[in-house]
Amino acid sequence: LAAAGIMDARAQDRYMITQRDDVTVIGVFDGHSPVNSPGGAEAAEAAAEHFEKLLKHAPIWGAITSGNLTALEGEYYSMFGQYQLQCESEYQKKVVKPLEKTRAELEHDIGDKLALELPQEGGTTVTLILVAGKRIHTTWVGDSEALVVRTGNNAFEHKLLTTHKHQLINAAEEARVKEAGGVTFGGAVYAQGAQGGLRVTRSLGDSALHKNDIVSSRPDFASHDIDPKDAFLVAGSDGLWDALPYAEVVGIVVKHLKGAGGAKLQGALAAARDAVLKAAHDKTPNKDDITVVLAVLNDAHELFADASTTA
């Protein structure tokens, strides 16, 4: 699978591409944290390193090779949940326990009770695209998106692999957050006893906001059967999709990949990736981190045919 990715220098985003046999996993991780805190970059980096080992995890590899989608989905739920528990355990040890100790000392000194609001340590969105044979399995928390590009009626069309974003614009997500005891205001999620809010409703990390699953670590899962008309996929953090419409991203990539089959393909992928990143920056300079990953699904697709040899 030919693939190329890029992210902003010094960004809180990360991406990874890993392969085993004929199976490829692409991951996009969009970190977030309070201003001037390294927590977002650290959260994205840690998650990328963790999920890069995905194909070495025996239960997941077994589910992939057997084609058991129910088992694969269950293993993803377990892996995301266990990772979140590790984050919260570290947060308890490094943040909550020291704060509680300090509060107890202050309460003893002043003879009164003090409220405690827990600070945000940072977190990350996660979008994993697993390409195995003729199927794509996508798992995600947050708002980093991925889509497949295919030939349609005299034009290129796209289909979202991430069928919806985990944001409050999603009515089901807003209802879930409120039922769990969360408060919503200005497009962000808040939790009692936690400082600040978050604009995604699902993530990894962000331990103070995961109280009672207000912000959830449970991923969504979707599968797509690869069709001969499918040419390539695009994955990106929200910085990309907030800057450019889907159709514009598709148009830029198609322009660079047209006729670029064979030995020219990897270089054309890199050029397309760079062009998408530049276009997104031109639309929203210095506003958000941007990550772009492209991958070819069918190198025999008519898009890559050299017109001079097919005429």
Side-chain angles (χ1 to χ4, degrees):
L1 188 77
I6 193 169
M7 63 188 185
D8 291 330
R10 301 187 303 278
Q12 294 192 101
D13 290 3
R14 296 292 184 272
Y15 76 90
M16 63 89 173
I17 304 170
T18 186
Q19 295 179 302
R20 179 177 175 181
D21 297 342
D22 61 348
V23 178
T24 300
V25 177
I26 295 167
V28 175
F29 309 85
D30 184 358
H32 47 256
S33 58
V35 177
N36 297 324
S37 165
E42 292 171 356
E45 183 74 31
E49 290 178 359
H50 179 80
F51 287 101
E52 194 169 18
K53 305 183 184 85
L54 181 77
L55 296 179
K56 297 178 182 178
H57 186 61
I60 284 185
W61 184 248
I64 293 169
T65 54
S66 68
N68 188 333
L69 286 187
T70 301
L72 180 60
E73 188 173 358
E75 289 300 329
Y76 270 129
Y77 291 151
S78 176
M79 196 172 193
F80 274 64
Q82 289 175 10
Y83 186 85
Q84 181 62 29
L85 288 175
Q86 292 173 17
C87 291
E88 293 178 15
S89 177
E90 284 295 304
Y91 184 73
Q92 282 286 327
K93 181 171 63 176
K94 294 180 178 180
V95 179
V96 178
K97 294 298 183 185
L99 284 176
E100 288 179 338
K101 181 175 182 292
T102 300
R103 179 178 65 171
E105 292 170 351
L106 289 171
E107 287 178 340
H108 178 269
D109 290 343
I110 65 175
D112 200 1
K113 295 291 184 182
L114 296 172
L116 177 62
E117 278 199 337
L118 296 175
Q120 291 192 44
E121 88 275 28
T124 187
T125 72
V126 178
T127 297
L128 302 175
I129 305 106
L130 188 156
V131 184
K134 294 299 183 182
R135 303 202 82 181
I136 301 174
H137 308 295
T138 308
T139 308
W140 72 99
V141 291
D143 56 5
S144 295
E145 296 181 278
L147 53 82
V148 164
V149 179
R150 53 173 59 171
T151 45
N153 295 324
N154 301 316
F156 280 88
E157 303 172 345
H158 69 269
K159 175 188 175 182
L160 283 171
L161 298 172
T162 45
T163 55
H164 55 273
K165 295 190 282 189
H166 295 139
Q167 294 179 333
L168 291 173
I169 57 172
N170 182 325
E173 282 297 288
E174 182 178 21
R176 184 194 62 76
V177 165
K178 289 180 176 178
E179 186 175 352
V183 175
T184 63
F185 179 76
V189 179
Y190 299 86
Q192 186 175 6
Q195 294 177 6
L198 196 62
R199 291 194 173 275
V200 291
T201 58
R202 303 194 194 196
S203 70
L204 293 181
D206 302 305
S207 298
L209 292 164
H210 276 254
K211 175 185 176 183
N212 199 35
D213 210 37
I214 290 171
V215 173
S216 179
S217 63
R218 184 176 176 85
D220 271 322
F221 182 88
S223 293
H224 167 76
D225 291 321
I226 299 175
D227 186 275
K229 294 181 178 180
D230 294 341
F232 60 90
L233 67 81
V234 185
S237 58
D238 69 324
L240 169 63
W241 306 114
D242 288 347
L244 300 175
Y246 302 130
E248 186 170 350
V249 172
V250 171
I252 293 170
V253 179
V254 167
K255 176 182 176 183
H256 283 80
L257 297 187
K258 189 174 180 62
K264 297 182 288 184
L265 185 54
Q266 195 64 47
L269 266 181
R273 170 203 68 191
D274 294 346
V276 170
L277 183 66
K278 181 180 184 304
H281 275 306
D282 288 346
K283 286 286 183 71
T284 55
N286 303 318
K287 286 190 177 180
D288 196 4
D289 300 334
I290 299 170
T291 290
V292 184
V293 183
L294 308 178
V296 172
L297 297 173
N298 176 12
D299 59 9
H301 193 279
E302 63 185 63
L303 170 65
F304 309 114
D306 188 336
S308 66
T309 61
T310 57

